Amino acid sequence: MPDRAHNIRPGGHAPRGGLRPELADRWLFRGIYGLVLASAMVSALDVPGEAADPGQDALWVLLTALASGAAHGYAHVVARRAAAEGAAGPGRLRAVAAEWPLPVAVLPTVLLLVVAVAGWWSEDTAVEVALVFNTAALFCLGASAARTAGLGWLSSCRAGVVDMLIGLVVVAADSLIQ
């Protein structure tokens, strides 16, 4: 297997457009996870027939994202420790902090719910807007990551559509369950 730098493509092709490779990797994995988590949480917390409480829902979405990010980072620490036969490096806190895109990805959903707390619109509207936003953001993250990987526009759009389908599955599930 040839030895090459992380962001140098075979054949000397430089990445085209999109995010830097390191940032794209972080956002693609953790950002998509956060967007899907936010969509699933906001859908689950918006129960028809119950009194709307968008403030409590916003808090639950944020706390769930923070707990998920911390758990994922800690799982990396435990996996490294197990692979190194009990030795853990000094980067434990860095491993947990590297999960920052996950809670950041839920902030638009939290903000939309906070706007509902202010009374500018209903919780139902906030949920619908959050689901549309998150689905569009999934497309953008997928397309941007594909562009960073050096794919052309058409292939990047296809990758974005595949990521967007995850959001559409959550929207469809929300519609069917209610």
Side-chain angles (χ1 to χ4, degrees):
M1 184 158 108
D3 200 23
R4 62 177 178 258
H6 176 68
N7 61 350
I8 306 258
R9 304 290 184 255
H13 297 291
R16 297 184 281 182
L19 300 169
R20 291 189 326 260
E22 318 81 50
L23 191 56
D25 181 50
R26 254 190 220 136
W27 268 109
L28 184 62
F29 181 73
R30 295 161 182 97
I32 286 176
Y33 185 84
L35 288 168
V36 172
L37 178 72
S39 294
M41 286 292 300
V42 79
S43 294
L45 292 170
D46 183 35
V47 180
E50 284 189 8
D53 191 354
Q56 183 178 7
D57 292 352
L59 185 60
W60 272 114
V61 170
L62 185 60
L63 289 176
T64 301
L66 289 170
S68 295
H72 190 261
Y74 183 68
H76 281 293
V77 170
V78 171
R80 279 191 218 127
R81 187 179 305 153
E85 299 176 14
R92 290 180 224 137
L93 189 55
R94 276 193 305 256
V96 174
E99 300 298 320
W100 66 266
L102 195 156
V104 167
V106 305
L107 291 180
T109 300
V110 170
L111 180 63
L112 291 167
L113 289 168
V114 168
V115 168
V117 171
W120 294 352
W121 57 28
S122 69
E123 182 179 24
D124 289 339
T125 302
V127 168
E128 290 170 8
V129 172
L131 290 174
V132 169
F133 175 85
N134 291 345
T135 301
L138 284 167
F139 172 83
C140 293
L141 280 177
S144 178
R147 289 291 294 156
T148 300
L151 298 178
W153 281 107
L154 184 59
S155 296
S156 297
C157 286
R158 277 195 301 256
V161 167
V162 170
D163 286 357
M164 186 176 74
L165 287 175
I166 299 168
L168 292 175
V169 166
V170 173
V171 170
D174 182 49
S175 298
L176 291 172
I177 291 171
Q178 292 187 20

